[in-house]
Amino acid sequence: MITYTKTNFIETLVKKCYNLFDLHIVLFASISVSFAYLFTILNEEVNGFNLIKHSASLSSILSVFNFFFATLLSFRLNSAFNSWSNGYNNVCKLVNASKRFMCIAKSKKNEVFVNNIRQSIISYVSHVFYYCSNSNGRNDVDGIRNEFLNQQQLYKLDQLSSVSSSYYKKDVLESTLKSTVILSLLERDIRNSISICRQQDIINYLEAENLNVLLNDICIIGDVLFNMANIPIVLVYNQFINVTILFYLIVYGMNMAISSHYYSGIWVFIWSSVVFMANNVCNQIDTPFGDEENDIELEIVLVRLKDDISIICSDNLIIT
């Protein structure tokens, strides 16, 4: 993901600017300019087409539109950033809860128990990240990435998919149910391991309860991440936003045609570019998991989690 740590205006402005000013933004802004010039030509050259006599009405409509659109755009930007921020915060919570879980498990000094719990926790987090990204990881171009699931785990997913497809129809709900079943099965296995160790007196009652409480936290956070990544965006929501942008730019272009005449295209291009850039930014960060540059790099997070758990489970490294 691309972040900034400095307040240098020029560096912030030019760094990876292609993510902000995409080619389709120029195209849409140019179409807006074409409409503005069309209104200008009709107003200047065509007899009987006089926007000036409607200038008061158009100005009032634009004033109301400005307030409504500013509120909508502010809400959209804030909602999109909150979605990205919540995704990042929950990833950090999942990683930290997993490491705390391993710290408690490692304190028992039972290698069989620790190894079983270690594999189960890593497998659970790996499956959560796998379902968040809808792929098995991006290309390892920098040498520090890793696939979420190995071939055996992918084979088990295929088996479950073939079994469940005979009971459910192919739709969004079915894919969601299949995914949550996998996570539920992994949770069940971890709880069974804790229960068996409790029966064998490897851990006492309080330690088992602490592990179960932490596992509850891990599963709740995993469910939150899964829901953030897999609940589809309702089409009518995006349609409303796009229609609002379209109507707003039409009204704005007509007002500019009255006040600026043939210079209206300059102002329409600038403002429509800003509007489309804001919408593009919202579309990029509204879903923080994926393969885009601004998405959270879950592959690297998983690699670091595995390294941290290896350090926690190691007896050779002691910090005093």
Side-chain angles (χ1 to χ4, degrees), residues 166-182:
S166 61
Y167 295 100
Y168 302 104
K169 294 182 179 180
K170 294 287 185 180
D171 55 15
V172 175
L173 179 61
E174 180 214 349
S175 61
T176 304
L177 288 173
K178 287 193 299 185
S179 302
T180 53
V181 164
I182 289 288

Side-chain angles (χ1 to χ4, degrees), residues 24 76 80 238 242 278-287 292:
H24 77 274
R76 176 115 167 86
N238 267 346
N242 292 337
N279 192 51
N280 184 47
V281 168
C282 293
N283 289 333
Q284 286 190 36
I285 66 176
D286 198 29
T287 51
E292 296 179 351

Side-chain angles (χ1 to χ4, degrees), residues 10-105:
I10 300 298
E11 182 180 353
T12 305
L13 187 65
V14 301
K15 182 180 180 181
K16 302 283 187 178
C17 60
Y18 57 82
N19 285 297
L20 184 65
F21 204 79
D22 205 351
L23 182 61
H24 77 274
I25 294 175
V26 179
L27 176 62
F28 292 151
S30 301
I31 294 174
S32 300
V33 172
S34 300
F35 276 106
Y37 277 133
L38 176 62
F39 293 137
T40 303
I41 293 172
L42 291 175
N43 189 50
E44 297 288 335
E45 306 296 339
V46 178
N47 293 329
F49 190 90
N50 189 3
L51 289 175
I52 297 177
K53 64 182 180 180
H54 302 293
S55 59
S57 300
L58 288 173
S59 179
S60 300
I61 293 173
L62 183 62
S63 298
V64 175
F65 236 136
N66 279 333
F67 175 78
F68 174 76
F69 189 76
T71 305
L72 177 65
L73 190 61
S74 176
F75 170 78
R76 176 115 167 86
L77 285 168
N78 187 63
S79 175
F81 180 76
N82 283 339
S83 177
W84 190 94
S85 178
N86 288 335
Y88 185 83
N89 288 335
N90 280 296
V91 167
C92 293
K93 289 179 180 179
L94 180 64
V95 169
N96 291 332
S98 300
K99 288 189 285 190
R100 286 197 301 270
F101 188 91
M102 287 308 306
C103 286
I104 297 177

Side-chain angles (χ1 to χ4, degrees), residues 265-276:
I266 299 174
W267 315 120
V268 170
F269 181 82
I270 293 173
W271 185 232
S272 59
S273 297
V274 172
V275 170
F276 288 123

Side-chain angles (χ1 to χ4, degrees), residues 98 102 115-129 146 148-149 153 186 190 302-303 305-310 313:
S98 300
M102 287 308 306
N115 287 333
N116 289 337
I117 292 296
R118 173 184 177 180
Q119 294 175 3
S120 299
I121 285 295
I122 291 177
S123 179
Y124 185 88
V125 176
S126 300
H127 277 83
V128 171
F129 287 173
N146 199 357
F148 298 121
L149 305 179
Q153 290 171 323
L186 291 170
I190 299 174
L302 182 61
V303 170
L305 174 63
K306 290 179 178 179
D307 292 340
D308 290 345
I309 289 180
S310 297
C313 295

Side-chain angles (χ1 to χ4, degrees), residues 127 131-132 134 157 160-161 164 168-185 222-233:
H127 277 83
Y131 290 122
C132 283
N134 296 317
L157 287 181
L160 180 64
S161 176
S164 58
Y168 302 104
K169 294 182 179 180
K170 294 287 185 180
D171 55 15
V172 175
L173 179 61
E174 180 214 349
S175 61
T176 304
L177 288 173
K178 287 193 299 185
S179 302
T180 53
V181 164
I182 289 288
L183 297 178
S184 299
L185 292 176
D223 290 341
V224 171
L225 288 173
F226 176 85
N227 291 334
M228 287 183 63
N230 290 278
I231 291 181
I233 299 174

